[in-house]
Amino acid sequence: MSVPVSLGAVPRRLGAFAWQAVLPVALVLGYQVAASAARNPFFPALPDIWQAFVTSWTGPGFTRDVAPSLIDLFAGYVLGVASGLAGGIVLGRAPRVRAALNPLVSFALTLPPVALLPLFLMLLGIGPQMQIGVIAFSVFFTLLINTTEGLRSADPALGDLSAVYRIGGLRRLLVVQLPAAAPYILAAMRTCLSTAVLVMVVSEMVGASQGIGAQTLLAQQSFAYEQMWAGMLLLAVLGCLLNALFTLAERAVLRRAGLLPATSTGARP
Amino acid sequence: MTAVSAPTGQWPLLRAETLAKTYHTPAGAHEAVRDVTFDVHAGEVVSIVGPSGAGKTTLLRILAGLLAPTSGRVLLSGVPVEGPPQGAALVFQDYSRSLLPWLSVLGNVTLPLRSARVPRAEAADRARQALASVGLEGKEKLRPRELSGGMQQRVSIARALAYQPRLLLMDEPFASVDAQTRMDLEDLVLPLREQYGMTIVTVTHDIDEAVYLSDRVVVLSPPPSTVSAVVDIPLPAPRSQTATKEDPRFGRLRHRVLDLVRRPEPAAPATTQERILNR
Ligand SMILES: Nc1ncnc2c1ncn2[C@@H]1O[C@H](COP(=O)(O)OP(=O)(O)OP(=O)(O)O)[C@@H](O)[C@H]1O
Ligand SMILES: [Mg+2]
């Protein structure tokens, strides 16, 4: 889709893009200069890190460590989003249930999921189910709260519209309420994506022998610093990539829904 | 559509009975409507006029069952209204907020029909016709946001028309359209009552429009509002923008309503209309 851009905007955009590219490159070069000057085993040279990256994370390394991590991440995230969305819909439509559960939800939201890792280890044991469980848990409450809030804070005019024209049930939920709450829900999904990566890594560090987190910690403990750096590099790349993919998907959804704020005109008197 | 369509005995289709509404806000109580009583008979067009802030929207929301009055009640064919009744449509004053930005124009108009289990093809048909009748042919696929304010307002009118309600409530429905379109829409609305047996209650600022459209005009006093007068408009049907508006009786009625809006009288004498006609 082509966006009309005024002439003055082109150099500005190029400038912004150049800056976005320059900064990481400068950081990498800076690291390389510092690392070769320091000759410290904690800071291996870039080619060595890259070598470790290729051997650890591609080929058999990919199937052994990267793929299970990604599968757990995906499963936990989807499970958490789906259950949080479902719970949020229930709470958003039932004020009584919401009021009754409110203290519990507020409490659960303040608990860092990582702090509950021992509990999850105990309940679910070691294995992917533990990782998936903690990731889903970390996503669940944020989705729950935001979905509820999105449904509750919808424009009352939409409630009037549904009442007068008797739009009810599933149609009201899908066509009127959820689209109105979409910005809240998408914001929660974005926040939760980075939380999910974090929780995945930490949960693998404490309760797994395979996976990106487990391998990275193992590398540090066995003084394989190139490999440790390769792990951190992979996590950084993964984080950026997921965020970029999410942004693309979000924009596509909002554009399809005609909700992109760029075209907003606001209410006319 | 049973609630509206079964007039029983001597009951008028719609009766507003000593309606009052006081809003309670953090800033204190605000009495918007003090005492409003009037009847609307089946097939009538009744306009409500009054100064800005007189509580016209409040009144219409009470009639639509969206707002509970502080006291008094609304009767539809003699049955007290407790929520939005079946077969009634409302054209909201705040039309842009009442259109769903994520649906196309056609989607917005068909939504109430689909909720009423009208089959998809028939709903689309009715929606297209209604859109064409308000001059929005070919705009079906656009989003409300891509239309001007006046066009959005017409979408919201088309949505109400396609719904084919027995009772059509409109809150300043022609406020944002140009004079020419406004006349077209006025002339569009009038035949509807014959076509669909619609009863229409409309709120307007425009005295000309009120007199032109209505069988009766309810004039509200400044807030807290009471009914200053109910003026009968015995102009012959069918009305026409040229002949009706040139009729000397039109001028006199218009003058009378204008006087009432500007300098409200405490109570409407029963002879209002005779006096005007015999002058
Ligand atoms: N939800 C509300 N809460 C508190 N006060 C309200 C509310 N809605 C309306 N009012 C007040 O009630 C009074 C009447 O408002 P209303 O919107 O019914 O007037 P109106 O006659 O429709 O005005 P306009 O011609 O400008 O549309 C106003 O003083 C308004 O501030
Ligand atoms: Mg109003």
Side-chain angles (χ1 to χ4, degrees):
Chain A
M1 178 153 179
S2 73
V3 182
V5 178
S6 78
L7 278 180
V10 172
R12 231 180 304 129
R13 285 192 153 206
L14 272 180
F17 179 76
W19 178 242
Q20 279 183 358
V22 161
L23 196 60
V25 169
L27 279 175
V28 166
L29 286 180
Y31 173 88
Q32 173 63 12
V33 171
S36 47
R39 303 190 159 280
N40 182 329
F42 290 131
F43 300 108
L46 281 177
D48 300 339
I49 295 178
W50 180 245
Q51 190 55 46
F53 188 97
V54 173
T55 47
S56 311
W57 307 134
T58 60
F62 183 84
T63 21
R64 196 187 57 236
D65 293 313
V66 181
S69 285
L70 291 180
I71 290 171
D72 292 354
L73 178 67
F74 182 75
Y77 182 72
V78 169
L79 194 66
V81 167
S83 54
L85 201 57
I89 289 169
V90 171
L91 295 195
R93 301 188 113 200
R96 291 239 186 90
V97 183
R98 179 169 66 238
L101 293 184
N102 196 26
L104 183 68
V105 173
S106 318
F107 175 67
L109 199 66
T110 56
L111 280 180
V114 171
L116 295 179
L117 270 171
L119 183 66
F120 276 90
L121 264 174
M122 215 172 69
L123 291 177
L124 299 175
I126 287 194
Q129 72 280 1
M130 192 276 278
Q131 267 87 268
I132 294 175
V134 195
I135 294 171
F137 179 85
S138 77
V139 172
F140 175 77
F141 282 100
T142 310
L143 250 295
L144 183 80
I145 294 278
N146 268 48
T147 306
T148 310
E149 200 48 39
L151 290 175
R152 254 158 42 90
S153 59
D155 188 341
L158 299 182
D160 289 349
L161 172 73
S162 307
V164 166
Y165 289 110
R166 304 181 155 253
I167 303 157
L170 200 58
R171 178 172 273 110
R172 176 162 182 214
L173 179 67
L174 294 180
V175 181
V176 182
Q177 297 183 302
L178 281 181
Y184 282 80
I185 296 169
L186 289 170
M189 286 174 69
R190 172 194 289 280
T191 314
C192 287
L193 194 56
S194 39
T195 316
V197 174
L198 170 87
V199 171
M200 174 199 82
V201 174
V202 178
S203 71
E204 284 175 349
M205 284 178 170
V206 302
S209 52
Q210 288 172 355
I212 306 169
Q215 284 306 316
T216 305
L217 188 69
L218 191 68
Q220 186 264 328
Q221 284 164 348
S222 53
F223 311 106
Y225 295 116
E226 294 87 2
Q227 221 181 317
M228 179 192 85
W229 279 93
M232 297 193 296
L233 182 63
L234 177 64
L235 290 171
V237 169
L238 193 64
C240 289
L241 210 63
L242 287 175
N243 200 48
L245 281 177
F246 190 88
T247 306
L248 281 181
E250 185 184 27
R251 288 182 66 87
V253 167
L254 289 179
R255 179 172 299 131
R256 255 213 91 212
L259 282 175
L260 263 197
T263 55
S264 162
T265 50
R268 279 170 235 257
Chain B
M1 313 215 164
T2 46
V4 190
S5 62
T8 47
Q10 73 284 36
W11 284 104
L13 180 86
L14 180 72
R15 166 168 287 175
E17 203 173 82
T18 59
L19 291 176
K21 180 70 192 180
T22 301
Y23 287 109
H24 295 279
T25 62
H30 177 87
E31 190 183 13
V33 177
R34 176 165 287 172
D35 179 13
V36 170
T37 299
F38 62 88
D39 283 352
V40 181
H41 298 280
E44 267 189 328
V45 177
V46 170
S47 290
I48 301 171
V49 299
S52 188
K56 303 183 295 294
T57 296
T58 303
L59 198 56
L60 214 58
R61 284 171 54 83
I62 294 173
L63 297 182
L66 288 174
L67 193 67
T70 312
S71 66
R73 53 186 191 161
V74 176
L75 298 166
L76 259 180
S77 309
V79 182
V81 162
E82 258 132 34
Q86 214 166 31
L90 172 60
V91 176
F92 297 86
Q93 180 172 18
D94 211 344
Y95 51 88
S96 67
R97 275 171 64 206
S98 85
L99 295 174
L100 300 178
W102 47 88
L103 293 186
S104 67
V105 164
L106 190 73
N108 269 287
V109 178
T110 51
L111 179 60
L113 302 179
R114 299 290 292 138
S115 297
R117 308 205 177 284
V118 175
R120 188 184 302 275
E122 189 192 334
D125 242 37
R126 267 160 71 173
R128 270 177 228 285
Q129 269 175 32
L131 284 166
S133 71
V134 299
L136 287 178
E137 242 158 353
K139 305 277 188 227
E140 291 88 353
K141 291 212 174 108
L142 297 182
R143 307 270 181 185
R145 204 164 262 173
E146 296 169 284
L147 303 178
S148 71
M151 288 159 120
Q152 289 178 19
Q153 195 167 31
R154 282 184 274 156
V155 175
S156 116
I157 295 169
R159 178 173 59 194
L161 298 184
Y163 195 58
Q164 296 175 3
R166 302 303 309 271
L167 175 63
L168 175 60
L169 305 168
M170 301 196 283
D171 197 349
E172 301 192 23
F174 312 138
S176 295
V177 298
D178 59 272
Q180 180 56 48
T181 310
R182 188 182 188 114
M183 286 183 198
D184 292 346
L185 290 176
E186 288 168 5
D187 289 335
L188 168 76
V189 164
L190 278 181
L192 289 174
R193 56 171 161 178
E194 282 91 54
Q195 223 172 321
Y196 300 115
M198 258 182 220
T199 304
I200 301 174
V201 178
T202 172
V203 162
T204 175
H205 272 314
D206 186 329
I207 310 285
D208 275 42
E209 179 171 290
V211 173
Y212 178 68
L213 287 179
S214 312
D215 298 307
R216 270 167 326 120
V217 176
V218 176
V219 183
L220 296 184
S221 71
S225 53
T226 55
V227 176
S228 307
V230 179
V231 182
D232 280 335
I233 311 289
L235 295 170
R239 303 204 176 155
S240 110
Q241 295 285 353
T242 47
T244 304
K245 288 189 175 171
E246 277 159 13
D247 191 324
R249 286 172 296 179
F250 179 86
R252 284 203 293 274
L253 286 161
R254 185 183 164 282
H255 199 132
R256 166 78 182 139
V257 175
L258 197 59
D259 276 351
L260 281 165
V261 171
R262 284 205 186 133
R263 285 177 274 104
E265 288 166 13
T271 50
T272 301
Q273 135 219 11
E274 288 87 345
R275 238 185 23 228
I276 292 170
L277 291 175
N278 300 335
R279 198 150 50 180

